[in-house]
Amino acid sequence: MKKQLNLKVENLKKITEQHILLSLVAPNGDMPEIKAGQFVEVKVDNAPTVFLRRPISVHFVDYAKQRLDLLVALVGDGTRKMATLSVGDEVSVLLPLGNGFPMPTKAGAKCLLVGGGVGIAPLLYLGDRLKAAGHQVSFLLGARNAGGVMLEDEFKKFGSLYLTTEDGSVGEKGFVTNHSILEKEQFDEIFVCGPTPMMKAVAKYAYAKNIECYVSLENKMACGLGACLCCVTEDNKGHNRCVCSEGPVFNINELPWQN
Amino acid sequence: MAKLETKIGGLTLKNPVLTASGTFGYGTEFSEFIDLSRLGGYIIKGTTLNPREGNPYPRMAETPSGMLNCVGLQNKGVHYLKDHIYPNIKDIDSCLIVNLSGSTVEDYAEAAEIIGTMDKVQAIELNISCPNVKQGGMAFGTTTQGVEQVVSAVRKAYNKTLIVKLSPNVTSITDMALAAEAAGADSVSLINTLMGMAIDAERRKPLLSMVTGGLSGPCVKPVALRCVWQVAKAVKIPVVGLGGIMNATDAIEFFLAGATAIEIGTANFIDPETTVKVVDGINEYLDRHNFKSITEIIGQLEV
């Protein structure tokens, strides 16, 4: 059930120069059930330049503590304004929105979770959910350089962690698709979130190996509810589909990425 | 508790709060946030005779106190609406209005006839003012001859309430309203979005796939109020006001300027509960000022 809730800022931590981890709690204990891969729409403030809500993917949920964690890249006026929130501030949030990553049907599936940049955000909660469901989790995360590598200890709680950086300062040098793990291991399912070129490159690998693969898209959106039709992506049948309400997670076989 | 009932032609609305086409989907997208039966009515998204995929992404750009869109009337066509959507929404206890768009007079009339076969749809809002489609009605909405032509044709094909939605992208919106009235419209709604554009200076590129798009949100409210004020003085048919209404005070301003009902659009994207909050707020305003009915404040601006 979707809700509009006023959540309270419990903590705001600077993770890198460009990323914050924002922890919000539901003071009335009414945090709805959220699936990995779903997102929320955050009302930042009433400044004219931050008119719309900001769609942010769910990084982690701790129901016992009624806490929702958002990993936010500071890319524009809205997100930079979020970085100025103080502990105790109230923030209006619409949640949960969109569809999550589907859980593998095979028992004990070998899952590869691939993320780049702030696209790693939804993979932590996904790793948690997959591990809890008895699947084997490996994370393959890419960054430009050591300064962009974050939260390694958190990811290690739920699976093996493989890293790449473009300059080779941490992990293997290159893009995620250059990592040796892709040749060494055979995975049952791949889940990807990150820049579109990266997702397309991983999709190419999955198509070639005939591996079930899901990607989480990030388009500019307004309502987050499937009403405004602003965030569409074209599917492989030439139809425009809403990323917010029909995604943000799509099976790569639904997308025109094969060529 | 004041009386909120209001009339548009032969149509009685339980309250004067409607949703603006294209901002409320088919209503069901909002049913987890609000009780749809509390709305005076809801106008479902722009429907055309044949399915349309709309324009390419990106279709939206945020601008100061508003947003631009160039969605381009993406919809699955009137037959899909009738067969697949209508059965799920026909029993919602609110006034159901379909926003109709087209590229030829014949398309408009044919689709209007099909809408006429849906018993629970009580009115058509005729979109002759979409700025995002070459033949999306905008051509009809910018000349008095065009307005008369399409409104007359739809009037012949449809005998229930006909509301004509007007574009502000004209020299005289009053002339367009008078033309719609003369051609048999029961009401006019205004304003549709203002044509605008946004540029990414760093990339030297437009922010919208179509370069231009329709501007909406609180930034257009002063223009909308002015249009409603001018049109309401000129026509005898009721005026439905819209453009940047974010709360009940904004809505009251439109009633004072002469609107008989109002539509809430872009605000639905910020707070999906805006419509019902506005209904409550109008009630509170009327009680506070000792008005017994919403009709007592329509056009009551003291100049």
Side-chain angles (χ1 to χ4, degrees):
Chain A
M1 177 92 179
K2 297 186 192 100
K3 292 181 179 181
Q4 177 170 212
L5 292 178
N6 284 328
L7 302 181
K8 260 204 167 87
V9 176
E10 189 192 64
N11 197 16
L12 191 150
K13 206 159 71 185
K14 196 170 168 183
I15 301 293
T16 75
E17 282 303 310
Q18 292 301 319
H19 300 87
I20 56 163
L21 184 64
L22 180 61
S23 297
L24 303 169
V25 290
N28 303 322
D30 49 2
M31 185 71 74
E33 196 181 314
I34 302 172
K35 291 184 188 136
Q38 288 188 302
F39 67 99
V40 304
E41 281 253 41
V42 181
K43 175 111 181 72
V44 183
D45 71 358
N46 292 309
T49 53
V50 192
F51 175 64
L52 297 168
R53 286 175 183 266
R54 293 298 186 265
I56 309 282
S57 60
V58 171
H59 180 55
F60 200 75
V61 188
D62 185 332
Y63 291 103
K65 294 178 178 153
Q66 287 290 295
R67 197 188 78 225
L68 166 70
D69 289 343
L70 306 176
L71 177 63
V72 183
L74 310 181
V75 293
D77 286 350
T79 46
R80 277 193 286 270
K81 196 91 190 182
M82 284 170 76
T84 66
L85 285 165
S86 303
V87 170
D89 284 353
E90 276 201 355
V91 187
S92 167
V93 180
L94 300 183
L95 76 171
L97 304 178
N99 306 289
F101 290 102
M103 287 288 128
T105 45
K106 181 182 163 182
K110 283 187 77 173
C111 301
L112 181 67
L113 284 56
V114 187
V118 76
I120 69 169
L123 302 184
L124 185 71
Y125 188 41
L126 177 62
D128 168 54
R129 296 291 84 205
L130 287 169
K131 189 183 175 198
H135 302 293
Q136 296 177 53
V137 177
S138 299
F139 297 100
L140 172 55
L141 309 182
R144 284 220 180 94
N145 51 45
V149 176
M150 50 191 153
L151 303 163
E152 297 110 293
D153 291 341
E154 295 301 311
F155 285 98
K156 281 179 187 162
K157 286 180 190 167
F158 306 113
S160 328
L161 177 63
Y162 305 95
L163 298 170
T164 61
T165 49
E166 288 172 35
D167 64 0
S169 51
V170 177
E172 292 188 16
K173 185 175 175 169
F175 297 116
V176 287
T177 39
N178 302 127
H179 200 283
S180 57
I181 190 71
L182 294 177
E183 294 311 318
K184 279 185 215 152
E185 294 268 4
Q186 181 65 39
F187 295 98
D188 297 312
E189 305 222 2
I190 302 179
F191 304 88
V192 199
C193 186
T196 304
M198 187 209 88
M199 291 197 286
K200 284 184 173 171
V202 177
K204 205 172 159 189
Y205 167 87
Y207 284 128
K209 297 232 166 191
N210 202 20
I211 302 171
E212 193 85 347
C213 178
Y214 296 89
V215 293
S216 178
L217 304 188
E218 183 191 54
N219 277 4
K220 278 209 268 182
M221 57 182 68
C223 70
L225 304 171
C228 71
L229 309 183
C230 289
C231 63
V232 294
T233 193
E234 195 182 52
D235 71 10
N236 61 354
K237 296 192 178 100
H239 296 308
N240 283 320
R241 310 260 302 269
C242 270
V243 167
C244 69
S245 59
E246 297 176 83
V249 174
F250 291 92
N251 187 304
I252 56 168
N253 293 324
E254 296 173 81
L255 300 171
W257 286 6
Q258 193 113 38
N259 302 313
Chain B
M1 187 97 163
K3 205 174 139 204
L4 292 185
E5 209 173 271
T6 188
K7 278 190 171 179
I8 300 174
L11 190 62
T12 302
L13 304 174
K14 67 174 99 172
N15 68 58
V17 178
L18 308 169
T19 60
S21 169
T23 67
F24 205 65
Y26 293 115
T28 46
E29 292 87 342
F30 288 78
S31 60
E32 286 170 274
F33 295 101
I34 59 167
D35 174 1
L36 295 170
S37 73
R38 290 207 58 212
L39 301 176
Y42 72 92
I43 303 180
I44 63 177
K45 68 178 161 204
T47 299
T48 49
L49 180 62
N50 299 310
R52 287 184 54 90
E53 283 299 333
N55 293 323
Y57 179 85
R59 294 173 164 187
M60 188 275 288
E62 188 178 41
T63 57
S65 298
M67 60 179 276
L68 288 160
N69 88 81
C70 63
V71 170
L73 296 172
Q74 179 178 336
N75 79 100
K76 290 182 173 166
V78 72
H79 292 285
Y80 186 90
L81 171 71
K82 186 179 177 182
D83 298 340
H84 299 283
I85 306 289
Y86 176 66
N88 304 321
I89 58 177
K90 68 181 175 56
D91 295 325
I92 294 168
D93 179 23
S94 180
C95 176
L96 193 56
I97 300 172
V98 175
N99 180 284
L100 168 63
S101 202
S103 37
T104 67
V105 171
E106 293 74 27
D107 282 4
Y108 270 108
E110 190 180 339
E113 233 172 89
I114 295 162
I115 294 168
T117 64
M118 290 180 249
D119 289 344
K120 297 283 178 69
V121 174
Q122 300 187 48
I124 283 177
E125 181 181 57
L126 196 63
N127 181 0
I128 55 168
S129 47
C130 177
N132 295 323
V133 177
K134 269 187 196 137
Q135 275 125 12
M138 183 75 161
F140 295 108
T142 52
T143 64
T144 52
Q145 297 92 318
V147 172
E148 275 179 42
Q149 202 190 355
V150 68
V151 174
S152 303
V154 172
R155 180 73 289 174
K156 279 194 202 101
Y158 187 75
N159 57 18
K160 287 188 260 182
T161 302
L162 179 60
I163 305 163
V164 177
K165 189 170 186 178
L166 301 177
S167 171
N169 305 310
V170 292
T171 308
S172 167
I173 195 168
T174 305
D175 289 350
M176 304 306 147
L178 288 166
E181 182 178 38
D186 297 303
S187 168
V188 283
S189 58
L190 54 139
I191 56 174
N192 204 324
T193 54
L194 278 155
M195 206 158 165
M197 65 188 279
I199 292 173
D200 180 340
E202 291 302 316
R203 291 166 55 241
R204 297 183 292 282
K205 282 186 184 296
L207 285 169
L208 297 174
S209 65
M210 305 301 284
V211 184
T212 61
L215 182 65
S216 64
C219 58
V220 309
K221 194 185 79 170
V223 178
L225 276 173
R226 183 270 296 174
C227 290
V228 166
W229 167 242
Q230 289 179 329
V231 168
K233 282 192 297 182
V235 298
K236 293 185 186 69
I237 51 177
V239 173
V240 178
L242 72 150
I245 297 175
M246 299 298 286
N247 52 49
T249 307
D250 292 339
I252 297 292
E253 291 169 20
F254 278 81
F255 295 122
L256 294 172
T260 297
I262 56 103
E263 296 178 16
I264 292 176
T266 304
N268 291 312
F269 303 156
I270 316 292
D271 178 355
E273 297 162 21
T274 305
T275 46
V276 294
K277 288 177 182 169
V278 169
V279 173
D280 292 340
I282 291 171
N283 228 323
E284 186 275 329
Y285 174 91
L286 294 174
D287 286 349
R288 186 157 48 83
H289 289 271
N290 292 314
F291 291 113
K292 297 279 174 284
S293 163
I294 183 72
T295 55
E296 289 176 42
I297 68 163
I298 295 169
Q300 294 306 303
L301 182 68
E302 295 173 17
V303 184

